[in-house]
Amino acid sequence: MATRGTRWRTGVAVLSATVLAALGAAPQAQAADDAPSIVVQDGVTQPVFGYADAIRERLFIDSTFDSDNDGLRDIIAFDLMRPAATAHGLKAPVVMDASPYYSTVCRGNESECKADLDGDGLLDKWPLFYDNYFVPRGYAVILLDMVGTNNSTGCPTTNANQDNLSAKQAINWLNGRATARNAAGQIVKADWHNGKTGMIGKSYDGSLAMATAVTGVKGLTTVVPISGPTEYYDYVRSNGVITRGNSYVASLANTVTNPERRDYCKPVRDALAAADGDEHGDYTAFWNERSYVKKVPNVTASVLLYHGLNDDNVRPDHFSKFWYALAENNVPRKLWLSQEGHVDPFDSRRAVWVSTLHRWFDFWLQGVANGIMDEPRVDLERSADVWETHADWPIPGKADTEVFLQPGTTGAGGLGLVPTAKPATGAFQDNRTQSQNTMILNPDVVQPNRLAFLSAPLTAPLHISGTPTVQLRASADQTDTNLGAILVDYGTDERVAHRASGEGIITLTTEDCWGQSSPTDDGCYKQTAKRVATADYELVTKGIMDAQNRQSIRVGVPLVPGESYNFSFPLLPEDYVFKPGHRIGVIIVASYPQYSSQADTTAANLQVALKSSNIVLPVVGGTAAAHAAGL
């Protein structure tokens, strides 16, 4: 069997119960048969096992699917590292990061790839810090190659069933329900496993963790998805509008495929491109296969969810829809929300994140009673490096509050808690090339391609927490148009610069280290700092829809020119405090080219009935708080 480092580390022999007690270990940490065991001190597992001498393996599992249609079941490959003590009776849980990126885009802020430096078929350089940190604490770590990537066979299908079931194969093997072999073809068993696995990963890796969780597979105990898509339709569409087109799904599949296999996998990508519905943007069975939210009732694993509130890659509606479903199904859960964009918490709040992750895995995978589930459910970054804790999210006490669009006299319209007394109309024309800056800037100036509505300067803070919704009564002179809305904070303030390079962080030249090292791999990473900037306004959140999808995202129905309809669509979820003296702005547009990849071409003229139009804000404190703020 191809293994490395099977010698058990000298000095980590069985610790007596007396020594364990002195170290503060949990009583159950010492096995009855004097096998090696974890050591717990101060509520967390201690690094008492070796890293350089850990057992390293590369294993292969015959899957249950055939993504490339070659008549053979795909083979899923993964690299495994476990303490040498597992060869002497230590029972270890698994931390797994399943990814399509290990040989192409690679992982982390420093773009680490897997690397076999000496050509022996075993991994020498392990991306990320999970192996360095957790293996010495009694965990095994698996880095799994998603189907069609790196050492796995088949072809990627961009979050279709073959992608989604890749990690399940390894969990089945860990729990004795599948067969794995090494490169020599020898069967390898996971007789060292304690039966519990946690999955973690950012972006695509995070989606694979959630995809595995919604299968309900036995043995998956917890997942830690970081900024991962939960509804792939929402990643490339929004309420019927195509936000990423040109066969984006097929393009991503090409990106993650090893270059030497891209020609081979072209037929699979061509099938993806033919089925993705770029010609209409509606929701079809293609997207249903790539949906995790509706499958949350199957989840038996706990969830520690992380997302950047200003992530414009995997937008925040991915976390919110999944979070709402977790709550509806009483899934044990915690949530972190940061002010950055598509940034890993390791690079935004490193020390606290590692500590939280350590305690989370210790509780769910090692059975350490450390009280983490008794702490507030939500950590939320209010401003750069200023964090709050809350009992839940949305913040308890929020109430959906209607804020009505009011007509203006010479410039922008107003905002108020009651509709205008008399019917009034706002008119504008779609401009498919209008920039986001043009939409937002100079809100007091009437412009032909938008409607702008401003509150008076606030007299008290106004806190929104949740998902705002825009409700418009409108007509158009064409059979189709898009509709967009932007919520803006007009007021000078220092904020996290999430739209600048780094999406809110600056990568420094200094390093810190998290875990042990080997001659070929260390746990040291470049430190980061928050990037902040002072600006006169902040785009708080936004939303868009295709007017033809006003009744359903599954079917588009043309408009009758001149006929009025009710349009309702959500903005992206937010948690934001408008400060006293600032003004709340609502901008209404049609095409929104910086949000959509295929702007509407009709150049429709639109009329909005203001008396029947509003934005519903999830205000903490509801109408009373809105009144107190001067709305």
Side-chain angles (χ1 to χ4, degrees), residues 156-173:
T157 57
T158 314
N159 291 93
N161 287 335
Q162 296 89 342
D163 286 16
N164 295 341
L165 295 175
S166 294
K168 184 179 179 180
Q169 315 305 307
I171 294 172
N172 281 337
W173 168 71

Side-chain angles (χ1 to χ4, degrees), residues 58 77 79 97-108 110-116 123 125-128 143-154 156 204-205 252-262:
R58 177 170 294 161
D79 293 286
D97 187 343
S99 178
Y101 291 135
Y102 286 127
S103 61
T104 51
V105 177
C106 304
R107 308 310 298 130
E110 298 175 38
S111 299
E112 292 186 314
C113 297
K114 285 184 175 183
D116 172 14
L123 204 58
K125 290 189 69 66
W126 293 63
L128 307 175
L143 304 185
L144 182 138
D145 301 328
M146 190 193 79
V147 65
T149 68
N150 202 24
N151 291 305
S152 293
T153 66
Y204 206 138
D205 303 18
L252 182 54
N254 186 63
T255 297
V256 303
T257 304
N258 290 8
E260 67 274 12
R261 288 179 55 82
R262 287 173 181 164

Side-chain angles (χ1 to χ4, degrees), residues 249-314:
V249 168
S251 177
L252 182 54
N254 186 63
T255 297
V256 303
T257 304
N258 290 8
E260 67 274 12
R261 288 179 55 82
R262 287 173 181 164
D263 288 344
Y264 173 79
C265 287
K266 187 176 183 301
V268 174
R269 296 196 304 275
D270 289 346
L272 293 176
D276 66 7
D278 266 359
E279 65 275 14
H280 51 68
D282 296 340
Y283 188 97
T284 64
F286 182 87
W287 304 111
N288 193 59
E289 185 178 351
R290 293 163 171 83
S291 167
Y292 309 144
V293 172
K294 61 176 59 71
K295 301 168 188 172
V296 165
N298 298 329
V299 172
T300 59
S302 62
V303 180
L304 172 56
L305 192 61
Y306 173 92
H307 215 102
L309 283 167
N310 293 301
D311 191 336
D312 211 29
N313 178 357
V314 182

Side-chain angles (χ1 to χ4, degrees), residues 413-529:
L415 295 172
L417 294 175
V418 295
T420 180
K422 297 180 180 180
T425 300
F428 68 101
Q429 184 177 22
D430 181 21
N431 180 350
R432 65 192 301 264
T433 64
Q434 182 177 215
S435 72
Q436 184 171 270
N437 279 345
T438 301
M439 297 174 191
I440 293 174
L441 296 179
N442 304 309
D444 289 306
V445 178
V446 174
Q447 295 187 20
N449 307 123
R450 70 164 193 205
L451 297 177
F453 303 88
L454 283 172
S455 73
L458 299 179
T459 56
L462 187 77
H463 182 183
I464 63 169
S465 180
T467 303
T469 302
V470 167
Q471 301 180 142
L472 302 176
R473 178 74 174 171
S475 64
D477 65 354
Q478 302 291 328
T479 59
D480 189 19
T481 188
N482 290 342
L483 292 167
I486 309 170
L487 182 65
V488 187
D489 176 4
Y490 291 102
T492 303
D493 206 351
E494 182 184 84
R495 304 175 176 95
V496 173
H498 52 84
R499 290 186 177 85
S501 174
E503 300 191 57
I505 64 166
I506 301 168
T507 302
L508 307 176
T509 57
T510 55
E511 288 189 334
D512 54 14
C513 302
W514 299 87
Q516 297 182 19
S517 300
S518 72
T520 59
D521 190 301
D522 63 35
C524 302
Y525 293 88
K526 291 180 180 178
Q527 295 174 304
T528 63

